[in-house]
Amino acid sequence: MVQRNFVTHPLVVRKLSVKRVADITPRMRRITLCGPQLQAFSSADFDLPRFISTGFDDHIKLVLTSNGDITSALPVQRAHSIDWRDAPHRELRDYTPRRFDAEAGELDLDFVRHGEGPAALWAEAATPGAELHVVGPKSSLVLPDGVDWLILAGDETALPAIGRYLDERPGPQRVQVVVEIRDPAARQTLLLRDDDTLRWVDTPPASASRLATAVRELEWWDGSAYIWAAAESSMLMPLRRWAAKDRKLAKTHINITGYWHQPTDRAASVETLNASSLPAPVQGPTVGSHPPPSNQGTPVDIAALLSPVPWFATRAALSLGLLDAVADSPSSVDAIAAMLQLDSGQVRSVVDVLAGFGVLELNGDMVSLGYVGLEVLGDDHLRESFEDSLEARMLVSLTNLASALTTGIPAFRQTHGLSLLDELCTDAGRYAELIDQSMGFDFVARAVSDLAVIDAVRTGKTVAVTGPGTLAFADALSPEIPLGVVEAPSPLGVLRGTLRRAALDFRSSFADASASLAVSALALSYRTDQESVALLARMTVADSGLIVEKMPTHIGAGEADIASHEAEERLLALAGTGSPARTAQDIRALARTAGWIVTKSTPLGWDYEAFELVRQ
């Protein structure tokens, strides 16, 4: 079942000013912000809502710049969300609202005084009257039902969230708090109850973190536990594994987040691994470089271009259990081979490759988990991207890309024997993955309530919707509007168990739904052009239609990494359906072929766009 452990808020850009500056400890500076834009206000184009922050670990983005040009660094405001535009000089930093007092019109942010980074430097120089632009929060955490007690753990950067939880107490649960500090001056007063516990872990600056060890040493109380932790990302890797494997907590009861990343060479290798879903080495010797064409960036690393080996080797190691075999303690190649019932020479071949990329570490014949391997095992999404997930199957299908381009048969179908649409319609787990991948739509979906086609059905007529965006669409639609859900039986089962809205009508076809408005909510991205036209044609039983899709954006100079990532997404779309990520012009053409006319298109934010339709 798909989980949504958060509530969303409209994304608004706000200009605030400093009201007070106070050092609550020698290591923590509290800056109080104020301004009329904490309340509802009107911009040039929209009436925008008041600031909302209901969760203890909410975060807002501070919009800073390297050259002082804040105007061009700000995102484009939409009715309920935003779109980020190209701005190479923009520097964003996430911070937790330590306190928000709506009546007083005050927002507190706490800054660790380490003297590094654009936000810390801004805080050191801030004086009353200084301006700061912020965006968010986009969502607030909702604790699952039935939690009896919590662990709140972290380093100094987690203190604002921990302190806010203890101050506001969203529930009656007992709490065990563990905070690692590198300077005794970082200790601050926390609002504890008699049945809470608090442990300060004093760790010298140059020493390895002891946070995970301290958490593991806590007394494990009776009842249902929830663990929340935030710190430097590598500190948390053992904690993630302990919570899931040793304590067997469900994913819904684990919230462990890397707030920052230690800038080391090995950390850089992890960032490189995470930056791209395509198989490519994290690091490695350059076997050859050629000067790039003019204005095309840095020299090409031919090793990165030629070698998909690390991705496939990591995939195999996860599938075989090799990484898990050395996660807790080093082991010899022979012992690993015996455990996995494999040939030692075969295991050594995989180990040698992964040791060169930080996934494993090799000391003589002893194998241990490397920094990248810790990251892979500690990040469920990253691990799934290597294993038998929809994303991994898309990547594997690239082996048939050349044949797909010459035959017109999508690479996914050639590789796996069925179309991407057929796989999603017959495998409930795959469809649930697709809903999770579509989570970004949750943050902008409320904008559909402003569309003219929605206004036209506010008289009690039915709206029928299909696609993985159904969950977010249903939440955004007024409860007075009857809603029908149209899907194949397997996806319909996933949605039936997920949708929070009452009085839903589940159907297998738009004709059965008898709707006045038919909606495709992110349903075209996994369909071929022919399959998309067929779906849109079936929607013409309704008087009007609506298509919501995520559009590819233009990335300008200075955003090369983002442009590369988007290019990879387009290539994967091509492998999956035979069509690259579709433009607005493509959507209009598909609709026209199916018997619709696009009367209006509206940006919703985060590159999502809504296309309103009438029948030809």
Side-chain angles (χ1 to χ4, degrees):
M1 178 177 170
V2 178
Q3 299 288 339
R4 289 292 193 270
N5 62 343
F6 58 86
V7 294
T8 63
H9 309 305
L11 274 174
V12 177
V13 186
R14 303 176 195 272
K15 183 172 74 171
L16 307 177
S17 60
V18 175
K19 184 175 183 178
R20 290 189 301 274
V21 178
D23 292 335
I24 57 174
T25 73
R27 292 279 298 172
M28 189 77 76
R29 170 163 291 187
R30 178 165 297 164
I31 295 183
T32 301
L33 301 170
C34 64
Q37 292 189 4
L38 285 174
Q39 308 301 323
F41 68 100
S42 296
S43 68
D45 301 307
F46 307 107
D47 292 329
L48 299 169
R50 65 182 178 85
F51 182 86
I52 301 173
S53 177
T54 59
F56 74 96
D57 75 338
D58 289 357
H59 66 267
I60 61 174
K61 288 192 180 295
L62 314 188
V63 186
L64 305 164
T65 68
S66 58
N67 64 1
D69 178 13
I70 190 65
T71 301
S72 64
L74 296 175
V76 177
Q77 182 68 60
R78 305 297 185 191
H80 298 274
S81 189
I82 60 170
D83 276 321
W84 292 104
R85 52 188 169 186
D86 303 336
H89 61 292
R90 179 173 55 230
E91 296 179 309
L92 300 176
R93 292 296 185 271
D94 288 349
Y95 274 79
T96 299
R98 177 60 177 82
R99 177 187 68 99
F100 174 57
D101 186 331
E103 184 174 344
E106 293 183 349
L107 172 65
D108 285 350
L109 300 179
D110 286 0
F111 296 78
V112 177
R113 301 189 67 189
H114 52 62
E116 301 174 3
L121 293 174
W122 178 87
E124 286 298 311
T127 56
E131 293 183 348
L132 180 67
H133 287 79
V134 304
V135 179
K138 67 178 181 181
S139 62
S140 294
L141 174 70
V142 177
L143 294 178
D145 295 334
V147 172
D148 296 307
W149 62 281
L150 293 90
I151 295 174
L152 303 178
D155 60 11
E156 291 180 62
T157 63
L159 277 169
I162 293 172
R164 182 173 178 183
Y165 180 92
L166 297 173
D167 285 353
E168 298 180 359
R169 289 284 180 166
Q173 295 88 353
R174 296 187 296 164
V175 179
Q176 298 201 60
V177 178
V178 180
V179 183
E180 182 172 47
I181 55 176
R182 302 287 178 162
D183 186 328
R187 294 191 182 212
Q188 57 182 255
T189 301
L190 297 174
L191 188 59
L192 300 170
R193 293 178 178 172
D194 291 341
D195 52 357
D196 295 332
T197 69
L198 168 63
R199 178 180 176 184
W200 295 100
V201 181
D202 291 287
T203 303
S207 301
S209 170
R210 296 188 292 135
L211 177 65
T213 299
V215 173
R216 290 195 295 257
E217 291 173 349
L218 290 173
E219 178 186 355
W220 195 260
W221 292 340
D222 293 334
S224 175
Y226 182 96
I227 180 169
W228 180 95
E232 195 278 326
S233 57
S234 65
M235 295 164 53
L236 300 173
M237 295 176 197
L239 204 53
R240 289 193 189 102
R241 183 173 176 79
W242 170 79
K245 181 181 178 182
D246 297 345
R247 285 301 174 182
K248 301 188 185 313
L249 293 181
K251 290 182 180 180
T252 55
H253 287 58
I254 302 173
N255 189 334
I256 298 178
T257 306
Y259 268 11
W260 59 286
H261 209 100
Q262 186 68 39
T264 66
D265 291 340
R266 298 173 75 187
S269 69
V270 175
E271 291 173 355
T272 304
L273 180 65
N274 287 332
S276 172
S277 59
L278 288 174
V282 179
Q283 290 178 326
T286 302
V287 299
S289 293
H290 296 275
S294 60
N295 301 320
Q296 294 299 308
T298 57
V300 176
D301 184 344
I302 301 301
L305 184 64
L306 294 179
S307 180
V309 171
W311 188 85
F312 280 101
T314 303
R315 175 176 163 87
L318 286 167
S319 178
L320 294 169
L322 198 160
L323 298 192
D324 291 297
V326 298
D328 296 322
S329 61
S331 187
S332 69
V333 172
D334 288 342
I336 295 169
M339 183 188 308
L340 303 179
Q341 297 183 328
L342 298 172
D343 177 78
S344 293
Q346 294 173 335
V347 171
R348 183 68 190 228
S349 295
V350 176
V351 167
D352 283 344
V353 169
L354 297 182
F357 294 91
V359 180
L360 296 174
E361 289 187 356
L362 189 57
N363 184 8
D365 196 47
M366 298 300 292
V367 183
S368 58
L369 202 61
Y371 189 92
V372 176
L374 282 167
E375 186 81 0
V376 171
L377 290 186
D379 186 326
D380 288 337
H381 174 73
L382 184 57
R383 177 170 185 156
E384 289 167 1
S385 71
F386 287 99
E387 296 184 301
D388 192 30
S389 64
L390 181 62
E391 181 180 358
R393 288 171 68 79
M394 293 284 285
L395 286 166
V396 170
S397 72
L398 289 173
T399 58
N400 282 305
L401 181 60
S403 175
L405 296 178
T406 56
T407 65
I409 302 173
F412 191 93
R413 178 187 286 276
Q414 293 191 46
T415 304
H416 301 296
L418 74 171
S419 71
L420 181 56
L421 174 63
D422 288 342
E423 174 151 329
L424 291 166
C425 285
T426 56
D427 189 322
R430 295 281 184 251
Y431 194 80
E433 284 183 58
L434 192 66
I435 295 177
D436 280 335
Q437 292 174 12
S438 306
M439 192 178 294
F441 181 49
D442 289 62
F443 301 104
V444 302
R446 60 171 52 86
V448 302
S449 62
D450 297 336
L451 300 175
V453 289
I454 301 296
D455 283 334
V457 295
R458 294 190 190 280
T459 56
K461 295 182 180 180
T462 300
V463 175
V465 59
T466 190
T470 294
L471 174 58
F473 182 86
D475 286 345
L477 203 64
S478 169
E480 288 78 29
I481 300 177
L483 182 64
V485 179
V486 177
E487 266 295 2
S490 182
L492 206 58
V494 176
L495 293 170
R496 190 188 297 272
T498 302
L499 288 159
R500 297 180 284 254
R501 180 184 171 123
L504 287 165
D505 184 26
F506 296 93
R507 298 289 181 175
S508 59
S509 74
F510 283 98
D512 292 340
S514 303
S516 62
L517 172 64
V519 181
S520 168
L522 315 183
L524 303 187
S525 62
Y526 52 93
R527 284 175 159 86
T528 65
D529 286 351
Q530 184 177 3
E531 291 165 343
S532 296
V533 169
L535 171 66
L536 296 175
R538 292 194 295 272
M539 289 168 51
T540 57
V541 297
D543 297 328
S544 56
L546 178 66
I547 299 171
V548 179
E549 288 292 331
K550 189 170 186 178
M551 297 287 101
T553 56
H554 171 71
I555 306 298
E559 302 284 343
D561 290 342
I562 302 175
S564 176
H565 181 69
E566 182 178 310
E568 292 172 3
E569 289 184 343
R570 288 174 61 84
L571 189 66
L572 286 175
L574 178 63
T577 67
S579 300
R582 297 183 178 101
T583 64
Q585 184 177 355
D586 295 330
I587 298 294
R588 291 174 182 272
L590 292 173
R592 185 169 55 252
T593 304
W596 293 103
I597 297 173
V598 175
T599 58
K600 185 179 181 182
S601 62
T602 304
L604 304 179
W606 278 21
D607 304 326
Y608 289 92
E609 193 158 348
F611 300 84
E612 300 178 54
L613 313 172
V614 297
R615 290 185 307 201
Q616 292 180 10

